[in-house]
Amino acid sequence: MTTTDFETARFATISGALVAVMLLALSANTLRAQGQPPPDHPAVTVRGQTYTPRSILARNMGTDEDQTTAFPPHKIIGNIYYVGTRTLTSFLIVTPQGNIIVNSTYERNVPVIQKSVEQLGFKFSDTKILLGNHAHGDHQEGDALVKQLTGAQVMAMAEDVPALQAIKPGGKAHPIDKILHDKEAVTLGGTTLVAHLTPGHTRGCTTWTTAVQEGGKTYNVVFSCSLRAPAPLTPAIVDEMNRSFKLVRTLPCDVQVGDHPAQYNMHEKYAKLKNGGPNPFIDPANCNLEADIQEAMFKAVLAEQPPAARH
Ligand SMILES: [Zn+2]
């Protein structure tokens, strides 16, 4: 066993232990944010790994400390960087005309994100546009503070606007400078991001796509919105989820990231990044892994529902 293998094995063991601990101790914040802990059934197995609604939430959120502790900021690919915490993603997209941030996360994390941006050698004050994946506090509560500190224009999918307006940390109104619609493009300094409406988790859940250059090649990058179906399932949500599962599989993808690091195995990929070799974030084979997991869970949950909801 080489040192690298040993490190990987040790990492896998530690990761397994961490998940086990998380399952036992869903954080107080998570419960406050999401209501009661989800049930421990049904269980689905996708590519050899078993998931329950509770294990998925635990995997996504981690502990209070995970939600607020910076993960080492790093380059993902091209002009895209990671500036989020251990369990809440935030992405920095750097252009010659200023930068874009996707996901402010909790308001208390804004200084954490700012520090990560600066650690990478960029200026937080260069943030010109603030986007988000979806209108839940763990992803977009910090929007007002980011705008206050940087003057960034906050843009949001129309269907998420009512939910965003209800996020008012300390009574601050949620800023929305531009309302976007499905397939609308946002362009800054030669980078274009396209907003795809992928509703279900929230009404305006937004999957962002862009293309980047690296080593003379072009790569398609997908910033996935959560595909975790809310409970209880209504016929309208069932329709939305079904459409979204279909749509995300049509998006060209070489690099997939998500609103939580667990949705693209960031921790494992980052460990590989440190070992050198090809960019581990270029992983087209796993672009739909999270969709596979969530769709299997969605179908299993639906099968447990009374027939009226199945639609
Ligand atoms: Zn959410």
Side-chain angles (χ1 to χ4, degrees):
M1 192 185 246
T2 63
T3 311
T4 306
D5 288 336
F6 176 73
E7 288 291 317
T8 308
R10 197 178 60 164
F11 185 80
T13 310
I14 294 170
S15 307
L18 277 176
V19 169
V21 170
M22 287 173 195
L23 293 181
L24 293 173
L26 269 180
S27 74
N29 263 335
T30 306
L31 298 186
R32 274 197 299 277
Q34 319 258 350
Q36 289 303 303
D40 222 4
H41 64 86
V44 296
T45 301
V46 177
R47 300 194 204 177
Q49 181 119 18
T50 300
Y51 306 86
T52 68
R54 192 173 300 177
S55 80
I56 288 173
L57 185 61
R59 175 204 76 160
N60 283 357
M61 299 302 287
T63 61
D64 284 358
E65 199 190 344
D66 290 330
Q67 292 164 31
T68 54
T69 303
F71 188 80
H74 56 273
K75 179 176 171 170
I76 298 171
I77 190 166
N79 59 342
I80 303 173
Y81 298 82
Y82 187 84
V83 292
T85 69
R86 288 182 198 153
T87 59
L88 301 174
T89 63
S90 178
F91 302 102
L92 176 73
I93 300 154
V94 175
T95 92
Q97 281 162 35
N99 305 331
I100 300 169
I101 286 179
V102 181
N103 294 331
S104 62
T105 79
Y106 285 124
E107 187 176 61
R108 62 186 173 281
N109 281 343
V110 172
V112 178
I113 292 169
Q114 174 168 6
K115 203 173 156 206
S116 291
V117 170
E118 288 164 357
Q119 236 176 289
L120 289 167
F122 303 110
K123 286 189 189 150
F124 195 56
S125 58
D126 282 343
T127 310
K128 303 292 184 210
I129 297 175
L130 176 62
L131 307 173
N133 275 125
H134 71 268
H136 281 162
D138 51 344
H139 306 289
Q140 297 201 244
E141 187 194 68
D143 286 12
L145 184 55
V146 171
K147 184 175 174 71
Q148 193 184 312
L149 295 172
T150 66
Q153 295 284 294
V154 182
M155 304 184 186
M157 187 68 86
E159 289 81 349
D160 250 2
V161 166
L164 284 172
Q165 284 170 337
I167 299 175
K168 291 188 275 190
K172 280 191 283 294
H174 198 100
I176 295 171
D177 299 297
K178 187 174 182 201
I179 295 177
L180 304 170
H181 298 93
D182 188 23
K183 305 281 190 289
E184 195 163 342
V186 172
T187 298
L188 182 70
T191 291
T192 296
L193 287 145
V194 178
H196 303 266
L197 177 64
T198 49
H201 184 74
T202 64
R203 304 307 309 273
C205 218
T206 306
T207 299
W208 291 96
T209 59
T210 191
V212 299
Q213 314 292 322
E214 190 166 275
K217 286 187 185 159
T218 301
Y219 295 94
N220 291 299
V221 181
V222 175
F223 302 82
S224 304
C225 191
S226 179
L227 291 166
R228 192 167 67 85
L233 289 173
T234 63
I237 290 171
V238 169
D239 279 347
E240 288 183 341
M241 293 301 313
N242 279 325
R243 271 186 285 135
S244 294
F245 285 127
K246 227 177 254 168
L247 187 132
V248 296
R249 293 173 200 287
T250 68
L251 301 172
C253 176
D254 301 296
V255 176
Q256 180 255 344
V257 295
D259 45 37
H260 297 283
Q263 294 162 348
Y264 66 103
N265 291 316
M266 177 190 78
H267 291 244
E268 288 81 352
K269 286 176 179 171
Y270 179 74
K272 284 187 195 160
L273 189 69
K274 288 200 297 186
N275 295 335
N279 184 340
F281 295 106
I282 302 171
D283 187 18
N286 285 311
C287 275
N288 288 319
L289 174 58
E290 179 66 12
D292 290 348
I293 295 165
Q294 297 300 346
E295 191 165 18
M297 180 57 71
F298 168 72
K299 285 181 174 158
V301 169
L302 202 55
E304 285 187 343
Q305 305 268 303
R310 288 186 211 162
H311 193 61

